Amino acid sequence: MSGSDDASGRRGKAVVRALRPYVDPPEEDTPAPGPSSRSASASGPAPGPAGEPVRRSLSVRPFLVTAGRVTDADRLPLETQVITTTAGLNALPALTFEQHDIVAACREPLSLAELAARLHLHLNVVRVLAGDLRSAGHLTVHAPQADAAHDLSVLRRVIDGLRAVPDSRGLTRDNNRPA
Amino acid sequence: MTTTALPNPSASGAGRPPLPVKMVIAGGFGVGKTTTVASISEIDPLTTEASITEVAAGVDDLTHTPHKTTTTVAMDFGVITLDPTLKLYLFGTPGQDRFGFMWDDLVAGALGGLVIVDTRRLDDCFAAVDYFENKGLPFAVGINVFDGNLDHDLDEVRWALDIPDSVPLVLFDARERGSVRDALLVVLELALQRAEEE
């Protein structure tokens, strides 16, 4: 209960910190939480010798958080809407890291692209994690209508909606009067 | 005793999401794609990173497993909520020409495209024009008139770009929301016309 435990505790901490470079690092004085139970720590050896000062490297390999998985051929479009379910909200306290962030962010519908940008995650990482969270029932994933580009009613709705967007002087396209 | 099943995916806490549709803003580096998106987007344009897979093998290498490398590019996008049930996403293509044939992810399901042209560097937009033509995506060419002046006659530009009359050529100012809106409307009206003819 001494040297080796400390070393593995430091290693666990190092992995966690290396995974989340954009999170404020814990205080140096904080005791190491012991061997981390995060799944991430089990996915590989620590990135450096134990005891070496942890660099807050930004060059984290993004797919570490998906345990190396990439998306399959059936890729969800960028604009796919993702929404947290009630079950997801209830599970929020138990979720960690990126999964937590995704479920928390999607109380309002967000596209995969927005999610990736807001959470500073690689788009395909978000695709994988959103797929996991959907399988767990924490999210619903609504792929866009595949034939929207050929759907007359959708096109007309987009045109009408865009015409109503006021320009910088508050004028819409249709009537040239303040919207 | 209750059965434990996966929660019903439709039992969402937030109800039905808006229908997302998208358009693609293309053009060479520095022609004003991000400015265009920023002018009309209700959010500050966001940047996300996307991997694109580049087939590095030549055509004579088909007998071997194609050697693929993955490149990460930054992609700007914005969004306009047209009504509570409809969101329009605008995706700017990565600027580099060599990624031109890797835009499938962006273009799949898009309503149309706007190719932005700087008349001082016409050749920057050829990749996008070719790509949209090959994909059959309805698109217009928008000449970004930064300073209100056009160096060339429109017909000269059309000739130089070698685009058919069926491709609308519009002048617009990427900094003006109304101007961007009208350029996008030209694309959408073309898309509607195409869909009606189908």
Side-chain angles (χ1 to χ4, degrees):
Chain A
M1 212 53 180
S2 58
S4 65
D5 267 352
D6 284 351
S8 60
R10 292 185 67 93
R11 246 199 320 275
K13 186 174 157 192
V15 169
V16 169
R17 287 174 63 177
L19 271 173
R20 296 176 59 76
Y22 41 84
V23 169
D24 288 334
E27 291 297 319
E28 281 308 315
D29 298 338
T30 308
S36 171
S37 61
R38 306 295 191 202
S39 58
S41 67
S43 64
E52 189 179 89
V54 178
R55 279 183 302 126
R56 297 192 63 213
S57 168
L58 292 176
S59 58
V60 172
R61 299 196 179 277
F63 285 88
L64 207 55
V65 297
T66 68
R69 290 167 302 145
V70 293
T71 44
D72 51 17
D74 182 25
R75 288 156 64 111
L76 292 166
L78 304 168
E79 67 274 26
T80 299
Q81 300 286 300
V82 183
I83 312 180
T84 298
T85 60
T86 312
L89 279 182
N90 294 337
L92 201 51
L95 295 173
T96 55
F97 296 162
E98 286 78 10
Q99 297 208 346
H100 179 279
D101 295 345
I102 290 174
V103 170
C106 292
R107 293 185 170 100
E108 295 295 319
L110 280 184
S111 63
L112 291 177
E114 283 167 289
L115 204 47
R118 285 200 194 179
L119 301 182
H120 302 289
L121 290 171
H122 190 287
L123 182 64
N124 288 344
V125 170
V126 170
R127 279 181 165 134
V128 172
L129 294 179
D132 290 351
L133 289 165
R134 171 168 63 173
S135 301
H138 298 328
L139 291 179
T140 56
V141 173
H142 301 262
Q145 189 181 325
D147 60 345
H150 306 282
D151 186 322
L152 292 179
S153 70
V154 169
L155 285 167
R156 290 196 180 106
R157 280 170 64 200
V158 177
I159 289 173
D160 289 346
L162 202 53
R163 278 187 177 142
V165 170
D167 67 14
S168 51
R169 289 165 300 162
L171 301 177
T172 65
R173 165 68 179 257
D174 278 343
N175 38 26
N176 269 15
R177 58 182 164 75
Chain B
M1 175 177 145
T2 55
T3 53
T4 48
L6 282 180
N8 183 353
S10 66
S12 156
R16 192 79 200 155
L19 175 68
V21 293
K22 71 178 166 189
M23 297 178 72
V24 181
I25 312 295
F29 182 77
V31 295
K33 296 189 295 279
T34 306
T35 308
T36 301
V37 173
S39 293
I40 198 160
S41 174
E42 66 201 22
I43 57 172
D44 288 336
L46 294 168
T47 301
T48 188
E49 291 192 333
S51 286
I52 53 176
T53 306
E54 212 168 348
V55 180
V59 279
D60 55 350
D61 202 17
L62 288 176
T63 50
H64 304 98
T65 306
H67 173 63
K68 291 185 175 182
T69 58
T70 300
T71 309
T72 296
V73 294
M75 183 178 66
D76 291 339
F77 64 96
V79 61
I80 313 162
T81 302
L82 297 176
D83 69 45
T85 63
L86 192 60
K87 268 183 177 175
L88 174 61
Y89 287 90
L90 300 176
F91 287 100
T93 58
Q96 300 88 333
D97 275 357
R98 64 196 183 91
F99 301 135
F101 60 103
M102 292 302 168
W103 294 343
D104 295 13
D105 213 18
L106 287 177
V107 167
L111 302 184
L114 179 66
V115 179
I116 304 178
V117 172
D118 180 340
T119 54
R120 292 163 300 184
R121 290 173 292 157
L122 282 181
D123 54 337
D124 280 0
C125 73
F126 290 156
V129 169
D130 286 347
Y131 183 81
F132 288 168
E133 273 182 344
N134 288 336
K135 284 282 166 186
L137 188 77
F139 72 99
V141 173
I143 301 173
N144 188 6
V145 189
F146 289 101
D147 49 8
N149 297 316
L150 183 63
D151 294 342
H152 302 71
D153 180 68
L154 268 190
D155 287 338
E156 281 179 31
V157 174
R158 184 182 288 281
W159 174 82
L161 291 177
D162 192 25
I163 52 172
D165 290 344
S166 57
V167 175
L169 194 57
V170 296
L171 292 176
F172 82 112
D173 184 339
R175 299 161 303 182
E176 270 295 315
R177 194 198 301 157
S179 184
V180 172
R181 172 197 64 199
D182 293 350
L184 295 177
L185 280 168
V186 168
V187 177
L188 288 167
E189 273 150 17
L190 178 68
L192 179 65
Q193 187 189 326
R194 286 243 199 121
E196 280 170 344
E197 287 165 2
E198 277 172 7

